[in-house]
Structures are given as C-alpha cells and as structure tokens.
Amino acid sequence: MPRKRLNTQEAPRKRNRTGCNKCRARKVRCDEQKPICSQCRAKGFDCETSIKLKWEQDYTSAGRAFGRAGLWTKKSAEKANASSPCIHVNDDEVSWIQVPQIFSYSFVNATVGNVEQLTTLEAIASEASPILDVVRTNDRDDALSTASLSPWLSARQPVFLPRHSFIPSSPPMLPDLPSPMHSSLLSYYLDKICPITVPSSVNKSPFANLILPFSITSSPAVLEALLALAACHRSKNDTAFRSTSLKLGHNVLRTLRGRLATEDALQVAMDPETLVIMMILCQYEIINECDKRWVVHLKGARDLIRVRRNAQLYPSSGQSSNELVEFAEKYFAFQDVIGRTACGEEPIFGSDFWTSQGEDTDAWLGCSAGLVSILCEITELSRRHRSRPEVSLLPEFQYQAASLERRLCSLRQRVFDEEDDILSLSAELKRMAAELYLHCALNGATPAMPLVVGHVQQVLRLVSVLLEHGVLAGLSWPLFVAAVELDPMEDLEWSSKNDVSNDVPNHARPFVLYALDRLSGSITNVTKTRSVIEQVWLARGHDDFSDLRPEGYEKGQNDWERYVAPLCGNMSLA
C-alpha cells in the first residue's frame, strides 16, 4: 500500500530527473552528490550520470504514453466523459468490413533504399540494367508533348474465319537414355513444358512436334539441350535439379563453342542443329535469370540467320529441317519484338521479317503475324519520339500513329478451328494489349485517362478467363502492359466480385500479383517481370505524392518513356 505523508502541510516531493543511472534503475531518490551519491556509496556501485533521448514516435508505435501525457486523474476522466458521451448503436446500424484473404504473393515491399532510388529515375534504371546499355536520348529541346489521343478508336468484334493448315504427325517413341534421371527429364519436357508453350491444346507445340523428333533422330546435342531446359524449369520448384541443370547446360554450350571454333563457319551456320541449340539455350537463360546472357544468344542468332539468308540455300535434309529453321527464326524475331515494346531499344531483327498481310493466327505466337508487324511499327515510331519528343507535334507523326490505330481496330485474326475459343481469346488479348501500348507509347495516354482504364479492365478480364482454362502461354506481355498502366491514386476494380471465384481478386493490383503467381510455372521469368512492375508502381506513387515534377517531364517524354522503358533492359516478355 502507498505510504501516507505524516506532515500534510509539506508539499509533495517532485520526481528527480537528473539522478544517477543506478538510482533511476532502482527507482530510488538520488541526492546527486558528486563524485558519488550516497546510495551508490552505501551499496558500492559505480555512480554514473548520462542523458537518454526518448522519441515520441517510438512510444506511440509501441502503444505507450510519452512522458506525463498518459497521467490519469479523476478530473481528466470526468472531462473525457463529459466531452465524449457514450453512443449506443443498434445491431442493425453496424456494418462489419470483410477481412480480405492474404496470400504470400500479395506483399509489395518498399525499403528506405527504394525511396531514395525513386528520387531520380536514372538511379532506378542504372540498378535495373547495370550491364546492358539502355538507349538513352541526348539533350533535347524543352518541348512538352502535346500529342492527344487520336479519334480513330472504334469498337470492333473479332472475326474468325477458318483456314487449312498442316497437322503434324506425332513424335516418335522416346529413346533409351543413359540414366533414369535423363529419362525422367525427357518425360518432364514432353508432359510439362511442351503443353505450356502454346495457348491452346487443340494445336501441337512446335517444341513437341518439331524439336523433339529432330533431337531424337538427328542431334544428340539438341537432345541434351532439351534435358538441360527441363532440368532448369524443374529446378524452380525443386532445387535438387539445379546442379543437373547447370551441368547439362555447360555441356551443350561447350559443344556449340567447339563446333564454332573448329568447323567451317558456313557449314556450321547452315546446319539446323546450330540454330536450334541457340534457341534452346536462349530459352534456358530466360527461365534461369533473364539477364543479358539470353540477349547474347539473340544477337548471335541474328548473325547466324543473316549468313543463312545470304547463302540463299538450305541443307538437303528434307522439309522438316525447313520447318524447324523457320520456327527457330520466328522464335528469335518474336522475342526481339516483344522485348523492345517495353524498353524501346534498337531492333536486333528488322521489321521486314514480319508480313503485314498475315492474318492467320499462329498457334505458337498466340496471334497473327500482322499484329506482330504492327507492334514493330509502333515500337519504331516510339523510338523516334523518344529521341526527338517534338516530332509528336508533326502531322506526319500523328498520321502514322492514327494509321496504326486504324489497322489494329480493323485487324482480323483468323483461326483454323472455329471452335478453338482459347486461341481466339489469346489473339484478341494481344490485340487489346497492343492498342493500350499504342495509346501510351505514341498518343501520350496516362493511367488516369478513361480510355486507358477501359483497356486495362478488358485486358485483365481476358487474362482471368484464360487463367481459368489453365493457359500459361502468351500472358506475360499483356499482363505486363496492363499492370504498368494502373493509376496509383485509384484502386481499380476490374470486375465485380460476383463475376469471379472467391480466390480471384477483383481489384487490379491484387489480381496482377495473383496472375503472376499463377504464371510461376510458365517458361517465362516471372520474378523479373514482377520486380519491374513493382518498381513502376513505387515510382508512380512516389511522384504522385511528390511536389517535384517527374524526371523527363520537362524533356517532353510521355508516360511510358518516363516510367516503363528505363526499367526494362534485358527483359523477355514473349
């Protein structure tokens, strides 16, 4: 019990705030004698006095009162009751907020270092691509881009017409391999990897009906490359396959280097095996780290294809080799096109590879060659604007942008099987994403514009439908384009909760994270894609709450050039 004061006339003693450390720790009164107080002298303690700084924020975050702020008195309680009367609420007037489901992929973390990097966009770009030199613009005239959205946007319904196509035969029987591990990897490649390389199960994957038969009948090196690819993909979920992946990949690379160093250059270039090995190694590096090494294979393939085309001759090994080479060339060219839409770098493959009249939907591309041709032209026009922002004011530039928009709106992507709804949806998804990309890269559209919001909602709806059908191929690029164009000031609801299942978020950002998690089993590098998306979100949010204008605003850069392009060097989205 507290002790009573004998002399009621004596004023209460105030708390000593300058006592020694031992007295304060023991909560006894210190007489502050120097060099040692009486309490420490009696107990034999070292008498030390120091000042300890206390911060109100630390106390508030811990839920504790700071200083005497939390001192309770009867008078203060009476005042609180008088000023804050109790309000009685009926049960009918109470509405409980539903607690959302939280998943492991739902967290976007930002540290103090991230905030410091967001002060300048150049710092982010240098971290995102420290090795590959991203195309930079020189000093430009301070001219703001006044390119407005062109009036050519019109609603359209996709028209799908049948066409005839060659249905490839089934691959031969699997060969006997030297170890059970290799046999398991080959089965994994055929059962797990090949089906996720095409959006529709109606069409056979070229990785199954072209590359696998060629590896079994003609090229042990290609077969070993397929095993390395399977081990690399499997190591994402099972680290026990990591060493096997590295060993097989090293053997394939050593074989390729040996041929290039010892054999005739033209003979090596004309052999389909060389191009196929480079394609598989390129896909291996994309799955593995998605750094500059996959671009090295891409540039090497360009030189190899150039030699083949200059020779104007194919080896006499049958029609299957021609189809195999054509697919390998298409693979590299498509990787180049889709990757450049994000970063705006110089092309590795020229736009003449694609025909603007190709309206047939390719089963592996998930769209038509005509759409890819339009993407090439959009990217090249965007590069012109990035080097000279003032060109957006020229009638020629505006006419070209409007012409590309008209071509996108009227594009017909025909599908061989009219009942193949999945391939039709995949082609329409890429066309919608291309329209969104055009408006942002050429017409100066921003995430807050209703046109952009509408396109983002449509893209996310199609992505959701394809994910429900188990499709993983071809979703990375459309999802990326929609994700980087989300308005940080609005929590976009792309669908009503009644239209989606319980485990699918109906708000844009949670859905993007959900979709990326679903794509973790694809043959793309989801880790890097998510990293860039998060950096774009953080940069947009930082600039919206900052009093300073974004980096590049005075130079006339549009929204895509300020926030997206500097972060996307060495990035594969195909």
Side-chain angles (χ1 to χ4, degrees), residues 68 336 479:
R68 307 288 287 179
D336 178 45
L479 183 64

Side-chain angles (χ1 to χ4, degrees), residues 54-289:
K54 299 181 180 180
W55 308 98
E56 185 175 1
Q57 293 85 347
D58 297 337
Y59 280 75
T60 304
S61 61
R64 298 163 54 195
F66 180 68
R68 307 288 287 179
L71 185 63
W72 181 89
T73 63
K74 188 177 295 185
K75 292 183 178 180
S76 61
E78 292 175 355
K79 289 183 178 180
N81 293 333
S83 58
S84 303
C86 182
I87 301 176
H88 298 281
V89 182
N90 298 327
D91 294 339
D92 298 338
E93 300 174 351
V94 177
S95 59
W96 295 95
I97 300 177
Q98 183 178 3
V99 179
Q101 287 184 297
I102 305 298
F103 300 93
S104 59
Y105 56 78
S106 302
F107 295 92
V108 179
N109 300 319
T111 63
V112 176
N114 297 134
V115 177
E116 292 176 351
Q117 294 165 7
L118 290 174
T119 55
T120 58
L121 196 57
E122 293 296 328
I124 309 175
S126 62
E127 180 186 358
S129 54
I131 302 176
L132 184 67
D133 292 329
V134 181
V135 176
R136 305 289 183 188
T137 56
N138 298 324
D139 294 337
R140 309 165 186 162
D141 298 334
D142 293 338
L144 298 180
S145 175
T146 57
S148 59
L149 295 177
S150 60
W152 298 106
L153 184 67
S154 60
R156 67 179 285 280
Q157 295 294 331
V159 179
F160 306 108
L161 300 178
R163 67 176 174 88
H164 298 285
S165 176
F166 170 71
I167 304 298
S169 58
S170 302
M173 297 295 293
L174 297 182
D176 294 330
L177 295 175
S179 69
M181 170 70 75
H182 290 181
S183 300
S184 173
L185 289 176
L186 187 59
S187 299
Y188 182 87
Y189 170 82
L190 187 59
D191 297 336
K192 300 295 183 180
I193 294 182
C194 291
I196 61 177
T197 57
V198 289
S200 174
S201 59
V202 175
N203 300 276
K204 290 288 186 179
S205 168
F207 284 85
N209 70 323
L210 289 179
I211 299 178
L212 183 60
F214 176 77
S215 68
I216 294 175
T217 59
S218 306
S219 176
V222 173
L223 181 59
E224 190 171 22
L226 296 182
L227 298 179
L229 182 66
C232 181
H233 187 271
R234 195 166 184 178
S235 66
K236 293 198 300 183
N237 296 323
D238 189 350
T239 55
F241 288 88
R242 181 67 176 170
S243 60
T244 303
S245 167
L246 294 175
K247 181 179 179 180
L248 291 172
H250 175 71
N251 292 340
V252 175
L253 190 59
R254 183 175 54 186
T255 301
L256 180 61
R257 287 175 175 172
R259 290 198 60 188
L260 294 174
T262 58
E263 299 182 15
D264 179 70
L266 182 60
Q267 180 181 357
V268 174
M270 299 307 297
D271 190 350
E273 179 188 69
T274 308
L275 196 60
V276 173
I277 289 177
M278 296 179 70
M279 177 182 66
I280 300 174
L281 287 177
C282 181
Q283 187 63 56
Y284 175 94
E285 296 296 347
I286 291 174
I287 296 175
N288 187 25
E289 297 292 343

Side-chain angles (χ1 to χ4, degrees), residues 440-462:
C440 297
L442 300 184
N443 295 334
T446 60
M449 292 184 175
L451 176 65
V452 174
V453 173
H455 276 70
V456 168
Q457 289 176 327
Q458 294 183 58
V459 169
L460 295 183
R461 287 192 187 100
L462 290 177

Side-chain angles (χ1 to χ4, degrees), residues 356-369:
S356 59
Q357 303 301 321
E359 296 182 348
D360 296 337
T361 301
D362 186 276
W364 179 75
L365 295 177
C367 62
S368 64

